[in-house]
Amino acid sequence: ACLWMDSTDIKKQRGPNMGKKSAHWSFKVNGPGRRYMILRNGEGKIIKLWGGYSPKLYDGHFVEAWASWFDENLAGAGIFADGHFCSAVASLHKVKLFTPHIKPRSNKRNREGRDMGSLTAAQERYNASFHRVRSSVEHPFAWIKNKFKSLQFPWPGKEIQLDYLVFIAIGCYNNSHLQNN
């Protein structure tokens, strides 16, 4: 795998019709928000940014909706992504999506008496290695939210202005990161 993928939500100020059932509600930020998805290469550069869009769009469903773009533009690539992307693995035909093993939800035991609601030792080791490799994809989000103080508070303006700011922030991140390498 040579690419990393993840999303973040930026909190917006609450307005009318922005309750928990609205398209604006983000459970990540526990309020109205806007979601952004990034694709990062092994050098740390963000090579693709999508957004903003509704935080109700699950990460796996996002990839399913964009599957033809991924297969067409990233054929042969491997992408590290978190457990929210597991549902999209089967929708990609020319791209390999690496996700962690998800703990089964069961209280049953198999014939050997092993708890069916747990992962095997090999799966646990894979997950530990996976999380160490994948953790770096969170850095751009932390960087932009730290450098652009206005992203630390609920966004008061229009969504398009927030989108512009996030795109500029990612450009600044790329410029700063590449100068340090």
Side-chain angles (χ1 to χ4, degrees):
C2 58
L3 300 170
W4 286 256
M5 188 169 201
D6 203 5
S7 68
T8 193
D9 291 359
I10 306 289
K11 195 168 190 172
K12 300 185 319 183
Q13 280 188 353
R14 191 167 187 166
N17 303 317
M18 289 190 175
K20 288 185 178 182
K21 294 187 180 191
S22 78
H24 300 276
W25 193 265
S26 164
F27 287 98
K28 282 185 182 181
V29 297
N30 196 29
R34 196 141 169 86
R35 184 161 293 170
Y36 299 87
M37 181 78 66
I38 62 165
L39 187 64
R40 180 185 159 270
N41 69 13
E43 296 174 340
K45 181 180 178 186
I46 310 265
I47 60 171
K48 181 74 174 160
L49 170 65
W50 292 270
Y53 56 91
S54 170
K56 293 287 190 187
L57 182 57
Y58 191 67
D59 290 346
H61 298 152
F62 174 90
V63 172
E64 290 170 10
W66 284 83
S68 60
W69 183 92
F70 282 94
D71 282 338
E72 193 174 303
N73 292 284
L74 303 173
I79 303 172
F80 289 109
D82 65 24
H84 294 132
F85 292 85
C86 290
S87 66
V89 170
S91 65
L92 298 175
H93 305 291
K94 297 179 183 177
V95 175
K96 175 73 175 157
L97 199 57
F98 295 94
T99 60
H101 294 287
I102 303 300
K103 183 177 178 182
R105 294 181 181 170
S106 173
N107 293 331
K108 298 178 183 176
R109 297 195 175 274
N110 66 8
R111 291 182 191 156
E112 293 81 35
R114 189 175 76 77
D115 180 7
M116 294 301 290
S118 63
L119 299 175
T120 66
Q123 290 171 326
E124 293 281 0
R125 283 192 304 276
Y126 170 86
N127 279 359
S129 296
F130 177 87
H131 291 301
R132 279 191 301 274
V133 170
R134 205 200 76 77
S135 66
S136 64
V137 77
E138 302 287 343
H139 296 161
F141 299 136
W143 189 93
I144 69 167
K145 289 176 183 177
N146 186 46
K147 294 290 183 185
F148 290 79
K149 302 296 184 201
S150 58
L151 296 176
Q152 294 176 4
F153 304 99
W155 183 257
K158 295 180 181 178
E159 289 180 338
I160 192 70
Q161 293 171 328
L162 177 57
D163 295 347
Y164 292 152
L165 178 58
V166 171
F167 273 77
I168 289 167
I170 292 295
C172 291
Y173 168 83
N174 275 347
N175 186 52
S176 170
H177 186 77
L178 295 176
Q179 286 179 355
N180 293 335
N181 286 339

